[in-house]
Amino acid sequence: MLTIAFIGFGKSVVNYHLPYIERRSNIRVKSIFRREEDRIGDTDRENWYPSIHFTTTLQDVLQDSEIDLIVVSTHVDSHAHYAKLALKAGKHVLVEKPFTSLVEEAEEIFAIAKEKNLIAMSNQNRRYALENRVV
């Protein structure tokens, strides 16, 4: 069983990640971290997922020994920051596109992952989309 947590709870998580994961018996979403300011006026959606622990304390996710993978699904300006924190906490990371704003940030993330023998990769959820295919 792969146990994961999300950092962020925007459209990508709700529309792409969770519907896919809910159909998988070998993946469990344990927690979702949201900044307190991101919850203002937007807490009703959390009730859609009663089995997921929502938290505004990042350490709840980073220090949870059950969590294997953290999916970073925030604005690009925070991708590198959260990815590095997750890796330093011993978690594999999957980062939404764009992976980072700067090549140097990506290189640093991959160096940390290599040093800790962890996986860091960019999410690619549209790889086989056919809606733009010319027939």
Side-chain angles (χ1 to χ4, degrees), residues 8 13 18 27 55 66 107 111 126 128:
V13 173
L18 292 177
I27 302 174
T55 181
E66 290 183 6
E107 289 171 342
R126 305 286 296 180
Y128 300 107

Side-chain angles (χ1 to χ4, degrees), residues 83-103:
K84 288 186 275 187
L85 287 175
L87 289 166
K88 290 176 181 177
K91 312 298 183 190
H92 301 286
V93 293
L94 178 68
V95 182
E96 286 291 328
K97 302 178 305 255
F99 189 75
T100 64
S101 297
L102 303 169
V103 170

Side-chain angles (χ1 to χ4, degrees), residues 16 25 42 67 72-73 78 91 111 114:
Y16 300 113
S25 61
D42 184 35
I67 294 172
V72 178
S73 187
S78 62
K91 312 298 183 190
K114 183 176 181 179

Side-chain angles (χ1 to χ4, degrees), residues 46-62:
E46 293 177 11
N47 296 322
W48 299 351
Y49 305 97
S51 64
I52 298 174
H53 170 70
F54 285 84
T55 181
T56 58
T57 304
L58 184 58
Q59 294 306 316
D60 289 350
V61 171
L62 296 176

Side-chain angles (χ1 to χ4, degrees), residues 35-133:
R35 299 178 311 169
E36 189 63 50
E37 58 267 30
D38 293 334
R39 295 183 74 237
I40 297 171
D42 184 35
T43 56
D44 289 341
R45 292 183 310 144
E46 293 177 11
N47 296 322
W48 299 351
Y49 305 97
S51 64
I52 298 174
H53 170 70
F54 285 84
T55 181
T56 58
T57 304
L58 184 58
Q59 294 306 316
D60 289 350
V61 171
L62 296 176
Q63 294 177 355
D64 188 330
S65 62
E66 290 183 6
I67 294 172
D68 305 303
L69 167 72
I70 293 178
V71 180
V72 178
S73 187
T74 59
H75 295 132
V76 67
D77 60 347
S78 62
H79 283 181
H81 171 73
Y82 286 128
K84 288 186 275 187
L85 287 175
L87 289 166
K88 290 176 181 177
K91 312 298 183 190
H92 301 286
V93 293
L94 178 68
V95 182
E96 286 291 328
K97 302 178 305 255
F99 189 75
T100 64
S101 297
L102 303 169
V103 170
E104 295 80 12
E105 290 175 327
E107 289 171 342
E108 184 179 358
I109 289 167
F110 290 128
I112 295 168
K114 183 176 181 179
E115 171 190 320
K116 296 199 164 277
N117 198 31
L118 295 167
I119 297 170
M121 64 183 290
S122 179
N123 182 50
Q124 177 54 278
N125 64 344
R126 305 286 296 180
R127 177 176 250 171
Y128 300 107
L130 299 176
E131 67 267 333
N132 293 325
R133 187 178 79 175

Side-chain angles (χ1 to χ4, degrees), residues 2-52:
L2 176 67
T3 302
I4 68 174
F6 286 91
I7 295 178
F9 187 57
K11 287 188 282 186
S12 176
V13 173
V14 174
N15 294 331
Y16 300 113
H17 290 286
L18 292 177
Y20 171 77
I21 292 169
E22 287 178 323
R23 293 184 217 140
R24 304 290 305 228
S25 61
N26 59 345
I27 302 174
R28 172 182 165 227
V29 178
K30 182 173 182 186
S31 300
I32 295 178
F33 164 75
R34 301 181 76 192
R35 299 178 311 169
E36 189 63 50
E37 58 267 30
D38 293 334
R39 295 183 74 237
I40 297 171
D42 184 35
T43 56
D44 289 341
R45 292 183 310 144
E46 293 177 11
N47 296 322
W48 299 351
Y49 305 97
S51 64
I52 298 174

